[in-house]
Amino acid sequence: MRVIALSRLREFWQSHADAEGVLRAWYKDAEESQWQSPGDITRVYATASILPDNRVVFNIKGNTYRLIVKINYSYGMAYIRFIGTHVEYDRIDATTI
């Protein structure tokens, strides 16, 4: 998958240093993956939540942080839509962000 954009993750971990290693690992794994369907994701990330409109919520660092990605399976693209704390996640609508 081509992940757009690492810069959003980098900005986040600059203020949440404890998330850097986990986000770098997620990014590397996503870049090396060839997800064709939501099932491909949940086979590896059992706690990922599949939302409408090809959005996926990943629990980061033991659910301390949430990452929302919109996937275009046919083009092999993953767009970072949101990264934040669990409290920040609770304030947004994950299905529309």
Side-chain angles (χ1 to χ4, degrees):
M1 301 297 292
R2 181 166 177 220
V3 180
I4 310 295
L6 177 60
S7 61
R8 291 189 78 178
L9 298 179
R10 188 177 296 122
E11 286 172 18
F12 184 78
W13 75 54
Q14 287 175 346
S15 59
H16 299 86
D18 62 326
E20 181 176 359
V22 179
L23 288 173
R24 282 184 184 273
W26 178 89
Y27 180 84
K28 183 178 186 287
D29 186 50
E31 283 272 308
E32 294 173 354
S33 296
Q34 296 179 343
W35 298 323
Q36 298 294 311
S37 70
D40 293 341
I41 296 170
T42 56
R43 273 192 282 288
V44 176
Y45 295 96
T47 62
S49 299
I50 306 301
L51 302 179
D53 198 24
N54 293 323
R55 285 179 169 77
V56 181
V57 179
F58 293 92
N59 297 317
I60 303 296
K61 197 172 179 287
N63 209 18
T64 302
Y65 305 112
R66 294 280 180 98
L67 171 65
I68 301 174
V69 178
K70 183 170 182 175
I71 308 286
N72 184 320
Y73 295 100
S74 45
Y75 287 105
M77 304 286 281
Y79 301 91
I80 306 290
R81 305 296 296 161
F82 171 86
I83 178 68
T85 66
H86 201 268
V87 171
E88 292 167 334
Y89 172 83
D90 288 340
R91 289 190 221 136
I92 64 156
D93 181 354
T95 62
T96 61
I97 196 162

